[in-house]
Amino acid sequence: MPPSAPFSPPPQPAEGGNPFADPLPPLWLYFSFRGRISRATFWRHGVLWLLLITLLFNGLLGIVGLNAEEADGLTNLLLLWPALAISVKRWHDRNRSAWWVLVNLIPLVGWLWVLIENGLLRGTPGDNDYGPPPTV
């Protein structure tokens, strides 16, 4: 297995494969900016898991003795890359460049725009500029 394999997009599943096997390698999902993910994966990993990890980190850092602002800052810094990686892959599913992540910088409107585009709208059907459609 080549060293870059964990960061490669997941292979397309074969017919009759195990439906319960996790086809998304965590290293690819949270650290690579290549490929596409579905809306369900965005909600599950980009919203739910990152929110739970944020709550856990903030709680643990509070126990260690950091104040709330320091804990928030450190948690945001630690989760910045995984959040960007998931968002970029979701923009890719909409056949848009990774630069669209910068829409988040527009106060209030940007956050709402990202939520609608990435969380509610369907990705492009079939292959697009960023690869084959997500299978999960």
Side-chain angles (χ1 to χ4, degrees):
M1 187 180 235
S4 65
F7 295 103
S8 299
Q12 298 299 314
E15 289 292 324
N18 181 359
F20 299 106
D22 189 6
L24 301 174
L27 286 177
W28 171 79
L29 185 63
Y30 293 114
F31 296 104
S32 172
F33 290 101
R34 294 178 28 213
R36 298 166 60 179
I37 60 171
S38 65
R39 285 179 291 177
T41 302
F42 171 78
W43 282 106
R44 189 170 42 252
H45 292 280
V47 177
L48 180 63
W49 280 114
L50 289 180
L51 179 64
L52 291 175
I53 291 171
T54 299
L55 294 173
L56 176 69
F57 279 5
N58 281 338
L60 291 174
L61 291 172
I63 291 171
V64 170
L66 293 176
N67 64 38
E69 292 81 23
E70 292 171 336
D72 283 342
L74 187 56
T75 300
N76 289 339
L77 186 62
L78 289 172
L79 295 179
L80 177 64
W81 192 276
L84 284 174
I86 289 171
S87 186
V88 163
K89 284 191 271 296
R90 186 64 194 129
W91 282 111
H92 285 174
D93 191 44
R94 303 268 309 130
N95 204 25
R96 297 185 191 255
S97 160
W99 289 104
W100 278 84
V101 169
L102 296 177
V103 168
N104 278 311
L105 298 177
I106 302 170
L108 186 62
V109 174
W111 181 82
L112 187 60
W113 187 348
V114 168
L115 182 65
I116 292 169
E117 282 263 354
N118 287 338
L120 302 177
L121 299 179
R122 186 178 305 239
T124 56
D127 292 355
N128 69 15
D129 296 340
Y130 302 98
T135 56
V136 231

